[in-house]
C-alpha cells in the first residue's frame, strides 16, 4: 500500500470513496437522512475544495492501483501543538487489514515532524471505529455535541493520543 498526498484533481476520488463508505459505515449509527445531509455538506466537490484551501491536508491509501481509503488532517490545529484528524475512512472490505493504522501512522509522523505533541479526532459515540482508536492508543478526552444544521447533531467523543 502507498499513501498519496491528494491534490485538487483527487477530490472526485475522495467524494466517490465517501459515498461508498458512509452508507455502510453509518447505517446503524445515524439516520439515512443525516448520512445524505452530511455527505452533501462535507463531501461536495465545493466543500472538499474549500477544506483543501483551509489547511486540511488529504491523503489517499492506494493498493493495486485502486484507492481504498482516505484521511484528512490539520497540523497545529487551533494554533496548538495538536494535529487534528478530521477524516479517516477505508472501504468496508479493507477494514481490519491495517489500512487505517497506516494512515494514522503517516499522520503521526507528520505531526511529530511539526513538533505537535498530540493527535486529536472526534468519533460518533456509537461508531465501532471508537474501539479501533482505543486499540491504537487514543483515549477519550471528553464528549461533545456539534449542531450541524437541518436539525442534526454529531454526538461525539473527542479522543486524543499523546505523541
Amino acid at each position: 500500500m502507498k499513501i498519496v498526498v491528494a491534490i485538487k484533481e483527487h477530490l472526485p476520488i475522495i467524494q466517490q470513496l465517501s459515498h461508498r463508505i458512509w452508507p455502510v459505515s453509518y447505517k446503524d449509527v445515524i439516520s439515512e437522512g443525516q448520512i445524505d445531509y452530511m455527505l452533501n455538506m462535507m463531501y461536495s466537490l465545493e466543500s472538499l475544495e474549500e477544506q483543501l484551501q483551509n489547511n486540511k491536508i488529504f491523503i489517499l491509501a492506494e493498493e493495486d492501483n485502486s484507492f481504498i481509503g482516505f484521511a484528512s488532517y490539520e497540523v497545529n490545529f487551533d494554533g496548538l501543538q495538536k494535529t487534528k484528524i478530521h477524516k479517516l475512512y477505508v472501504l468496508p472490505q479493507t477494514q481490519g487489514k491495517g489500512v487505517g493504522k497506516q494512515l494514522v501512522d503517516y499522520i503521526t509522523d507528520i505531526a511529530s515532524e511539526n513538533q505537535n505533541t498530540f493527535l486529536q479526532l472526534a468519533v460518533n459515540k456509537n461508531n465501532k471505529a471508537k474501539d479501533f482508536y482505543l486499540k491504537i492508543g487514543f483515549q477519550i478526552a471528553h464528549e461533545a455535541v456539534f449542531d450541524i444544521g437541518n436539525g442534526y447533531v454529531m454526538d461525539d467523543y473527542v479522543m486524543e493520543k499523546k505523541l
Side-chain angles (χ1 to χ4, degrees):
M1 189 195 90
K2 72 177 183 174
I3 294 177
V4 177
V5 176
I7 58 175
K8 183 178 176 180
E9 287 73 21
H10 289 114
L11 296 180
I13 296 165
I14 293 167
Q15 182 184 48
Q16 291 165 6
L17 284 168
S18 68
H19 282 265
R20 290 175 61 195
I21 296 167
W22 271 60
V24 176
S25 295
Y26 286 107
K27 68 179 170 38
D28 297 326
V29 179
I30 57 177
S31 70
E32 187 176 325
Q34 185 167 348
I35 291 170
D36 291 342
Y37 174 78
M38 291 178 72
L39 279 171
N40 184 55
M41 178 183 75
M42 296 189 305
Y43 293 98
S44 68
L45 291 178
E46 181 180 288
S47 175
L48 289 169
E49 191 170 331
E50 184 178 308
Q51 292 170 58
L52 203 57
Q53 293 169 353
N54 288 311
N55 301 320
K56 277 56 165 197
I57 299 167
F58 284 86
I59 54 176
L60 287 155
E62 184 179 10
E63 187 174 71
D64 299 327
N65 296 314
S66 293
F67 291 106
I68 58 173
F70 67 94
S72 77
Y73 64 93
E74 182 178 355
V75 176
N76 300 319
F77 178 68
D78 277 350
L80 303 171
Q81 288 184 302
K82 290 184 181 184
T83 294
K84 180 159 186 181
I85 299 174
H86 290 284
K87 301 173 183 353
L88 178 67
Y89 295 102
V90 298
L91 289 170
Q93 63 269 29
T94 64
Q95 290 176 4
K97 297 181 179 177
V99 178
K101 175 132 179 24
Q102 287 183 56
L103 289 167
V104 171
D105 288 347
Y106 178 93
I107 295 168
T108 299
D109 290 345
I110 298 293
S112 294
E113 288 170 15
N114 286 276
Q115 290 80 45
N116 283 198
T117 55
F118 282 90
L119 291 181
Q120 183 183 72
L121 57 82
V123 62
N124 184 287
K125 290 178 184 173
N126 297 311
N127 188 336
K128 64 183 180 181
K130 173 190 66 160
D131 297 327
F132 162 73
Y133 296 124
L134 289 169
K135 182 179 173 185
I136 63 169
F138 281 83
Q139 296 180 359
I140 296 171
H142 62 287
E143 299 178 14
V145 177
F146 304 97
D147 184 339
I148 58 170
N150 211 38
Y152 296 119
V153 297
M154 293 191 312
D155 189 10
D156 293 346
Y157 289 121
V158 174
M159 302 183 79
E160 292 187 341
K161 179 179 182 178
K162 184 164 178 37
L163 302 179

